[in-house]
Amino acid sequence: MPVGFNEESLSTSSAARWKSPRKRAQTATEETQETTLSGKRNRTSKCVYPCPHTMEAVRSRRSQEKTPCSICLEYFFDTPSGRERVMPVKMGCQHIFCRECIETHLSSNIKCPLPWCEAQLPLQPDDCDLCAYWGKTHADCLILTVRAEEMMRSIKDELDRLVTESDFFKLSRTQNSRLMFHVSNTLKQYEWQFHSGVDLAELLDPFLRVLDRDAARTYYGATLHAPAPNPSIFPPRENDPDDYPAGQEPWIAAFFRQWALEYEKENGEVKEGWGIWAKNKENEIEDSWEWMWPYKNIITHKTAVNGKIVYLVKWVGNRYPASWCGKEQLAEGSHKNYDEEHGIVHS
């Protein structure tokens, strides 16, 4: 086993961390009537936050001068080459983006694009046509509540069943111990949070998020990393199929996908909006909650408008599309190998 390689580093080496804002105490419900992206007016409704599609145009150029959209990184009110003028709009959570970016984002996601935003923007299908459309087209979006003990039992039962079908899937005592340790730690880390089956499967994959897959292969054993002898027994990898070379996906990764998708069908619930907060283990006070959603790898990099290097990061699961992050937002040291390979030196 390589020096310094352990289970903890396997599980947390590529997590992105941000400090969350102070949790706002829920205030009395307010009547809201704002302009939506569709240009229509919402009928009066009562909620702590408005719906995801409620926007307010930001007209003060002085307050937003030299401020970039956090999605495309273009300055507000500028007119970049090949684009219309970058016009800022404010969501109900008070975060500001350019209209073009937020319209694109809301076509596939009803949460604020900022991963650390904790605001719940409830769908209001009775008041907003776009909310009603989203509810109809995403009615089959099932989300699992992570329950560690219950899921551990289910995974063990399914692995035992798999062994009865073929000795290929039989694990040594050491392999089983290390795999179950990883599964237990992962489920406990995300317990009582909401995740899709795809998210959960990729979180449980012991090889997907590690910085050194060769070291992980040594740690867990080559047989656990081997492709399934008959890939057709597992569902195809539809989310990011290029995570592994063609035909080289470890059978345990395919197993977790099969288990998670079947478990989702039996136990999933439809959720309109959900967060994934994890508590800082070093500080138990309420205001110490941090964002701990892991990413798979860095796709590329570029120099932002402020002169700093930013990375295009591919996230675990299908919750978020690839997005740009600064090195301060990534786990310490997780970008070191990438920097060395590409000759990046941070100022």
Side-chain angles (χ1 to χ4, degrees), residues 74-256:
E74 298 288 356
Y75 286 129
F76 292 134
F77 300 106
D78 279 0
T79 307
S81 176
R83 279 190 60 178
E84 296 181 356
R85 198 176 190 187
V86 182
M87 299 303 296
V89 292
K90 183 188 295 183
M91 294 185 70
C93 57
Q94 304 304 303
H95 291 131
I96 299 174
F97 310 94
C98 73
R99 177 178 288 272
E100 182 177 334
C101 285
I102 198 60
E103 285 181 340
T104 301
H105 173 80
L106 289 176
S107 67
S108 60
N109 197 315
I110 58 172
K111 283 185 65 66
C112 171
L114 297 179
W116 56 88
C117 176
E118 60 183 309
Q120 296 296 317
L121 304 175
L123 289 175
Q124 299 179 45
D126 294 335
D127 299 328
C128 173
D129 292 339
L130 293 176
C131 285
Y133 176 77
W134 175 275
K136 291 179 181 179
T137 56
H138 295 78
D140 59 346
C141 292
L142 296 178
I143 300 301
L144 289 168
T145 301
V146 178
R147 296 178 173 87
E149 290 188 10
E150 178 182 317
M151 289 181 169
M152 274 289 290
R153 287 195 298 269
S154 176
I155 289 172
K156 287 180 179 178
D157 290 344
E158 287 302 306
L159 280 173
D160 290 342
R161 181 192 59 78
L162 203 59
V163 171
T164 63
E165 297 179 0
S166 172
D167 287 340
F168 175 85
F169 302 108
K170 190 173 183 178
L171 303 178
S172 68
R173 179 177 297 181
T174 299
Q175 284 179 310
N176 185 71
S177 175
R178 290 178 174 177
L179 178 63
M180 289 300 105
F181 182 77
H182 162 74
V183 171
S184 176
N185 278 356
T186 300
L187 293 176
K188 288 178 180 177
Q189 179 181 358
Y190 297 100
E191 189 160 26
W192 303 115
Q193 298 175 12
F194 302 131
H195 299 283
S196 70
V198 171
D199 289 354
L200 193 55
E202 294 195 357
L203 287 171
L204 291 170
D205 184 346
F207 300 105
L208 187 61
R209 295 182 285 140
V210 296
L211 298 178
D212 189 340
R213 286 189 181 176
D214 289 335
R217 189 183 299 111
T218 301
Y219 179 77
Y220 288 108
T223 55
L224 199 64
H225 188 271
N230 181 10
S232 63
I233 66 174
F234 297 117
R237 189 181 192 90
E238 296 179 351
N239 186 61
D240 293 333
D242 59 341
D243 283 340
Y244 293 102
Q248 296 300 310
E249 181 186 30
W251 71 264
I252 192 64
F255 163 78
F256 281 130

Side-chain angles (χ1 to χ4, degrees), residues 300-318:
T300 186
H301 68 279
K302 69 178 182 180
T303 303
V305 292
N306 59 6
K308 293 186 176 181
I309 297 294
V310 291
Y311 303 93
L312 182 60
V313 170
K314 183 189 290 185
W315 302 96
V316 163
N318 60 4

